[in-house]
Every structure is written in C-alpha cells, then in structure tokens.
Amino acid sequence: YSTIATYGNGAWGILAQSVGGGGGMAADPSLPLYLPSLQAANQVAGDNSLTNGGNLSVELHAGGSISTSGNYAHGLVAQSVGGSGGIAIVNGQLAIGNSYSFNYSPDAQYYAGAGGTIIINLDAGSYISTSGKGSVGIIAQSTGGTQYASNGSIQISISGNVIGGTGSDAAGIIVSGGGNSLVAPNTITINSGGFVQTQ
C-alpha cells in the first residue's frame, strides 16, 4: 500500500500542477485559501496553444492514503492553468488562478491559454483525510481565458473516503473553473461506498 502522511501547517499531501506560459508556486502554503475570479481574460484570436495548461490525472488505488495534520494542509491540489500563473500571495491570502485573475493586466489577454482536463479517481478502500483548520481534502482547478480558450472539464470520481478539516473554510472537495458550455461539464460522482465530509 502507498501512504503519504504530512504534519504541520501548510503541509499539503500532493500538488499536481501544469502551467502554460510560465508560473508555478511562489507562496506560503499555510495561508488561508483565496480563489479569485476565474476565466476573466478575453483571449485574442489566434493560436495561443503554447500557453495552454496540460491535462492532469491522479488516481488513488485501494489501500492508498493521503493524510495531513495541520492548518491549511490540503490533501490533494490539482491545478491546470492557461496563460501563466499558478499559486501566489494576494492580499495576504493564498491565491490560486491565472495571472490575469491576480493582477488584471490588460496585456494578459494575449496569453490567456486554456486550462487542461483534470481527472481524479479514488478507488474503494482508499482515502484522503485532513484534520486541521481550513484544510480541504481535494482542490481541483482548471482556469484560463474565456472568449476563444476552452478550459478542460474537471472529473472527480469517489469510491473511497474524502475527509476535510475543521472550521468554516474547510471542505471535502472544492472545484474551481473547468468545464463550460464549450466542453463537457464538471462532474463529481460519489459512488456506492464512497463518502465526502469534513471533521
């Protein structure tokens, strides 16, 4: 069996990230989570595929587990960003999005590529468990531009257990961005035997 266990504030279990156009993570992961306005940039016509985020797939098989103990210690964070960005500090919070949503630069529209598809599967007998304040079991985000970019859908299937932390800002699953009218919609499927809850 595979086990990931972390301890301490901001000690995430897994960060799976694909950023098109430059970026990544430059922040303190123990800060409170902030999800800014998404898909805000109107991409200009033309091929902006070089700034697209890639597709992500994460699967936790039977017997596999991710557990965290600490404030804002999220279990699994999966993010695909088009047009640069990722995770940064904005107004003292941990902002997750693309560059335009951080600073609203008018030039950002030229680099507003699409976020990719995100697929997350938890098999029966697997679990993600967080126990600290503001901790989230699964955070999935696909973000990019609006007018010409078509962000991939977020597809989450739960046959195991997902347990978020404590407090008003904790959650089992948070989905941000993703599918729109141009692509398949986002889906969260809780299969027989699976459950999602907070502490």
Side-chain angles (χ1 to χ4, degrees):
Y1 300 142
S2 297
T3 299
I4 295 174
T6 70
Y7 303 89
N9 297 338
W12 299 1
I14 292 177
L15 170 62
Q17 187 183 54
S18 177
V19 180
M25 181 172 182
D28 178 354
S30 68
L31 292 173
L33 186 66
Y34 166 58
L35 296 173
S37 177
L38 300 172
Q39 285 84 255
N42 289 322
Q43 182 185 27
V44 298
D47 182 6
N48 290 272
S49 60
L50 292 178
T51 67
N52 289 344
N55 298 331
L56 297 174
S57 179
V58 179
E59 184 164 357
L60 199 58
H61 296 291
S65 66
I66 300 171
S67 61
T68 71
S69 177
N71 296 337
Y72 303 104
H74 311 302
L76 166 62
V77 179
Q79 182 194 44
S80 180
V81 178
S84 77
I87 303 172
I89 298 176
V90 176
N91 297 326
Q93 293 180 301
L94 190 70
I96 296 181
N98 66 350
S99 293
Y100 186 87
S101 65
F102 293 162
N103 57 34
Y104 303 105
S105 167
D107 292 334
Q109 65 178 329
Y110 293 94
Y111 309 100
T117 296
I118 296 175
I119 299 174
I120 298 172
N121 292 317
L122 266 66
D123 291 344
S126 66
Y127 72 86
I128 295 175
S129 178
T130 66
S131 60
K133 174 185 175 183
S135 296
V136 180
I138 296 173
I139 301 170
Q141 183 190 69
S142 177
T143 180
T146 52
Q147 187 174 358
Y148 297 97
S150 177
N151 298 301
S153 64
I154 297 170
Q155 304 165 29
I156 300 175
S157 179
I158 306 296
S159 296
N161 303 329
V162 179
I163 304 172
T166 61
S168 60
D169 49 355
I173 298 173
I174 291 178
V175 170
S176 173
N180 54 42
S181 60
L182 300 178
V183 295
N186 297 331
T187 61
I188 299 176
T189 304
I190 311 299
N191 300 307
S192 177
F195 70 83
V196 178
Q197 68 178 49
T198 57
Q199 296 282 359

